[in-house]
Amino acid sequence: MSTVFIIQIEVPAIKFCSQVSFDVRPSRLQEVFDGAKGFVNGIAREYGHELIDLDHEGTERKLESIRRQAIAGVSVWQEQHKTADDWKKKFDRANEMMNSMRDAYYRELTFLREQVYQKQKAEMEGRSFEPTHVVHFDPSDYRTDQDTAQVVKEEVAKVVKEEVSLVTRELTIKHDEIES
C-alpha cells in the first residue's frame, strides 16, 4: 500500500500553478516529507529577504478562509436575528393590542346584555326603560401600522357616526320626555 504525496507551487501574479504528485511507500513517507520540507526551507533561506510567510501546513491560508466564511455567516445570522427580534416585537405589540381590544369588546358586550336584561325587566314590570350610552371599545384607542391605518380610519368613522346617532336618539328621547 502506498500514500500519495503532493507538492503544489502557486504564483498568483503570473497565474502559475504547478503540482507534483508522488506515490510513496509508507516506509519512505517521512523521508520524502523531510526532503520536501528541506527543499522549501532552502528556498526560504535563499530568498529570505523577500519572504512574506512560511507556512508548512497551509494553516494560515485555511484559517483566513475559515475566518472570512465565519464572519460572513455571523453577519447573516445577526441580520436574521435582528429581523426575528423586530418581528417578535411587532407580534408582541399586536398580541397585546388584540388582548386589550378583546377585553374592551367583552366589557361592552356584557354591558349591552345587561341593558337588554334591564329593558326586559322594566317591560315586565310596566316601567319605561332609558338606555345608557357607554363606550368601552373605541377603535381610535388602537393604533396600527401604515398599511392598515386607512382601513381603521374608515371603520372609526363608521363607529363614530353610529355613536353620534345613538347619542342623538338618546338625547331626543330625553328631550321629548322633558317637553311632555
Side-chain angles (χ1 to χ4, degrees), residues 140-153:
S140 65
D141 290 342
Y142 304 98
R143 302 283 183 243
T144 59
D145 61 14
Q146 292 292 1
D147 296 336
T148 57
Q150 185 60 33
V151 174
V152 170
K153 190 175 185 179

PDB file of all heavy atoms in Angstrom, residues 140-153:
ATOM      1  N   SER A 140     -60.450  54.049  17.976  1.00  0.00           N
ATOM      2  CA  SER A 140     -59.401  55.063  17.845  1.00  0.00           C
ATOM      3  C   SER A 140     -58.324  54.936  18.929  1.00  0.00           C
ATOM      4  O   SER A 140     -57.258  55.528  18.824  1.00  0.00           O
ATOM      5  CB  SER A 140     -60.001  56.466  17.870  1.00  0.00           C
ATOM      6  OG  SER A 140     -60.587  56.713  19.131  1.00  0.00           O
ATOM      7  N   ASP A 141     -58.610  54.138  19.958  1.00  0.00           N
ATOM      8  CA  ASP A 141     -57.610  53.907  21.005  1.00  0.00           C
ATOM      9  C   ASP A 141     -56.490  52.984  20.540  1.00  0.00           C
ATOM     10  O   ASP A 141     -55.478  52.849  21.216  1.00  0.00           O
ATOM     11  CB  ASP A 141     -58.256  53.290  22.248  1.00  0.00           C
ATOM     12  CG  ASP A 141     -59.155  54.279  22.976  1.00  0.00           C
ATOM     13  OD1 ASP A 141     -59.023  55.496  22.739  1.00  0.00           O
ATOM     14  OD2 ASP A 141     -60.000  53.810  23.776  1.00  0.00           O
ATOM     15  N   TYR A 142     -56.696  52.322  19.429  1.00  0.00           N
ATOM     16  CA  TYR A 142     -55.756  51.308  18.985  1.00  0.00           C
ATOM     17  C   TYR A 142     -55.079  51.764  17.696  1.00  0.00           C
ATOM     18  O   TYR A 142     -55.705  51.853  16.655  1.00  0.00           O
ATOM     19  CB  TYR A 142     -56.468  49.969  18.787  1.00  0.00           C
ATOM     20  CG  TYR A 142     -57.167  49.547  20.047  1.00  0.00           C
ATOM     21  CD1 TYR A 142     -58.524  49.790  20.217  1.00  0.00           C
ATOM     22  CD2 TYR A 142     -56.459  48.962  21.082  1.00  0.00           C
ATOM     23  CE1 TYR A 142     -59.157  49.428  21.393  1.00  0.00           C
ATOM     24  CE2 TYR A 142     -57.089  48.606  22.259  1.00  0.00           C
ATOM     25  CZ  TYR A 142     -58.439  48.838  22.410  1.00  0.00           C
ATOM     26  OH  TYR A 142     -59.052  48.479  23.566  1.00  0.00           O
ATOM     27  N   ARG A 143     -53.811  52.049  17.807  1.00  0.00           N
ATOM     28  CA  ARG A 143     -53.023  52.494  16.655  1.00  0.00           C
ATOM     29  C   ARG A 143     -52.432  51.279  15.945  1.00  0.00           C
ATOM     30  O   ARG A 143     -52.051  50.299  16.580  1.00  0.00           O
ATOM     31  CB  ARG A 143     -51.877  53.398  17.100  1.00  0.00           C
ATOM     32  CG  ARG A 143     -52.332  54.610  17.863  1.00  0.00           C
ATOM     33  CD  ARG A 143     -52.888  55.663  16.925  1.00  0.00           C
ATOM     34  NE  ARG A 143     -53.243  56.837  17.683  1.00  0.00           N
ATOM     35  CZ  ARG A 143     -54.473  57.294  17.780  1.00  0.00           C
ATOM     36  NH1 ARG A 143     -55.442  56.695  17.161  1.00  0.00           N
ATOM     37  NH2 ARG A 143     -54.718  58.371  18.475  1.00  0.00           N
ATOM     38  N   THR A 144     -52.328  51.384  14.624  1.00  0.00           N
ATOM     39  CA  THR A 144     -51.755  50.296  13.838  1.00  0.00           C
ATOM     40  C   THR A 144     -50.733  50.863  12.869  1.00  0.00           C
ATOM     41  O   THR A 144     -50.541  52.063  12.781  1.00  0.00           O
ATOM     42  CB  THR A 144     -52.851  49.555  13.043  1.00  0.00           C
ATOM     43  OG1 THR A 144     -53.492  50.498  12.192  1.00  0.00           O
ATOM     44  CG2 THR A 144     -53.862  48.921  13.970  1.00  0.00           C
ATOM     45  N   ASP A 145     -50.117  49.998  12.109  1.00  0.00           N
ATOM     46  CA  ASP A 145     -49.107  50.445  11.143  1.00  0.00           C
ATOM     47  C   ASP A 145     -49.779  51.125   9.949  1.00  0.00           C
ATOM     48  O   ASP A 145     -50.993  51.147   9.811  1.00  0.00           O
ATOM     49  CB  ASP A 145     -48.217  49.286  10.696  1.00  0.00           C
ATOM     50  CG  ASP A 145     -48.999  48.177  10.014  1.00  0.00           C
ATOM     51  OD1 ASP A 145     -50.165  48.407   9.644  1.00  0.00           O
ATOM     52  OD2 ASP A 145     -48.440  47.088   9.843  1.00  0.00           O
ATOM     53  N   GLN A 146     -48.986  51.681   9.072  1.00  0.00           N
ATOM     54  CA  GLN A 146     -49.490  52.463   7.938  1.00  0.00           C
ATOM     55  C   GLN A 146     -50.357  51.655   6.981  1.00  0.00           C
ATOM     56  O   GLN A 146     -51.280  52.183   6.382  1.00  0.00           O
ATOM     57  CB  GLN A 146     -48.310  53.073   7.154  1.00  0.00           C
ATOM     58  CG  GLN A 146     -47.555  54.127   7.916  1.00  0.00           C
ATOM     59  CD  GLN A 146     -48.376  55.392   8.135  1.00  0.00           C
ATOM     60  OE1 GLN A 146     -49.521  55.498   7.744  1.00  0.00           O
ATOM     61  NE2 GLN A 146     -47.774  56.363   8.789  1.00  0.00           N
ATOM     62  N   ASP A 147     -50.066  50.367   6.831  1.00  0.00           N
ATOM     63  CA  ASP A 147     -50.820  49.553   5.882  1.00  0.00           C
ATOM     64  C   ASP A 147     -52.292  49.447   6.239  1.00  0.00           C
ATOM     65  O   ASP A 147     -53.161  49.422   5.377  1.00  0.00           O
ATOM     66  CB  ASP A 147     -50.225  48.137   5.799  1.00  0.00           C
ATOM     67  CG  ASP A 147     -48.813  48.144   5.250  1.00  0.00           C
ATOM     68  OD1 ASP A 147     -48.463  49.108   4.538  1.00  0.00           O
ATOM     69  OD2 ASP A 147     -48.079  47.186   5.520  1.00  0.00           O
ATOM     70  N   THR A 148     -52.589  49.371   7.529  1.00  0.00           N
ATOM     71  CA  THR A 148     -53.985  49.213   7.938  1.00  0.00           C
ATOM     72  C   THR A 148     -54.596  50.503   8.476  1.00  0.00           C
ATOM     73  O   THR A 148     -55.766  50.516   8.844  1.00  0.00           O
ATOM     74  CB  THR A 148     -54.090  48.110   9.015  1.00  0.00           C
ATOM     75  OG1 THR A 148     -53.253  48.458  10.099  1.00  0.00           O
ATOM     76  CG2 THR A 148     -53.712  46.760   8.463  1.00  0.00           C
ATOM     77  N   ALA A 149     -53.831  51.562   8.517  1.00  0.00           N
ATOM     78  CA  ALA A 149     -54.323  52.827   9.071  1.00  0.00           C
ATOM     79  C   ALA A 149     -55.555  53.339   8.337  1.00  0.00           C
ATOM     80  O   ALA A 149     -56.509  53.810   8.966  1.00  0.00           O
ATOM     81  CB  ALA A 149     -53.219  53.871   9.051  1.00  0.00           C
ATOM     82  N   GLN A 150     -55.560  53.248   7.025  1.00  0.00           N
ATOM     83  CA  GLN A 150     -56.697  53.746   6.253  1.00  0.00           C
ATOM     84  C   GLN A 150     -57.957  52.937   6.546  1.00  0.00           C
ATOM     85  O   GLN A 150     -59.030  53.502   6.733  1.00  0.00           O
ATOM     86  CB  GLN A 150     -56.383  53.717   4.743  1.00  0.00           C
ATOM     87  CG  GLN A 150     -57.468  54.329   3.878  1.00  0.00           C
ATOM     88  CD  GLN A 150     -57.734  55.799   4.189  1.00  0.00           C
ATOM     89  OE1 GLN A 150     -56.831  56.545   4.556  1.00  0.00           O
ATOM     90  NE2 GLN A 150     -58.979  56.213   4.067  1.00  0.00           N
ATOM     91  N   VAL A 151     -57.820  51.625   6.615  1.00  0.00           N
ATOM     92  CA  VAL A 151     -58.974  50.772   6.908  1.00  0.00           C
ATOM     93  C   VAL A 151     -59.525  51.094   8.292  1.00  0.00           C
ATOM     94  O   VAL A 151     -60.740  51.237   8.472  1.00  0.00           O
ATOM     95  CB  VAL A 151     -58.582  49.277   6.803  1.00  0.00           C
ATOM     96  CG1 VAL A 151     -59.716  48.389   7.245  1.00  0.00           C
ATOM     97  CG2 VAL A 151     -58.142  48.940   5.393  1.00  0.00           C
ATOM     98  N   VAL A 152     -58.636  51.253   9.254  1.00  0.00           N
ATOM     99  CA  VAL A 152     -59.068  51.579  10.615  1.00  0.00           C
ATOM    100  C   VAL A 152     -59.738  52.945  10.641  1.00  0.00           C
ATOM    101  O   VAL A 152     -60.773  53.123  11.303  1.00  0.00           O
ATOM    102  CB  VAL A 152     -57.867  51.529  11.591  1.00  0.00           C
ATOM    103  CG1 VAL A 152     -58.240  52.085  12.946  1.00  0.00           C
ATOM    104  CG2 VAL A 152     -57.363  50.109  11.724  1.00  0.00           C
ATOM    105  N   LYS A 153     -59.195  53.881   9.905  1.00  0.00           N
ATOM    106  CA  LYS A 153     -59.766  55.230   9.860  1.00  0.00           C
ATOM    107  C   LYS A 153     -61.203  55.188   9.348  1.00  0.00           C
ATOM    108  O   LYS A 153     -62.098  55.830   9.908  1.00  0.00           O
ATOM    109  CB  LYS A 153     -58.896  56.112   8.955  1.00  0.00           C
ATOM    110  CG  LYS A 153     -59.215  57.571   8.997  1.00  0.00           C
ATOM    111  CD  LYS A 153     -58.214  58.352   8.151  1.00  0.00           C
ATOM    112  CE  LYS A 153     -58.440  59.828   8.263  1.00  0.00           C
ATOM    113  NZ  LYS A 153     -57.470  60.586   7.478  1.00  0.00           N
TER     114      LYS A 153
END
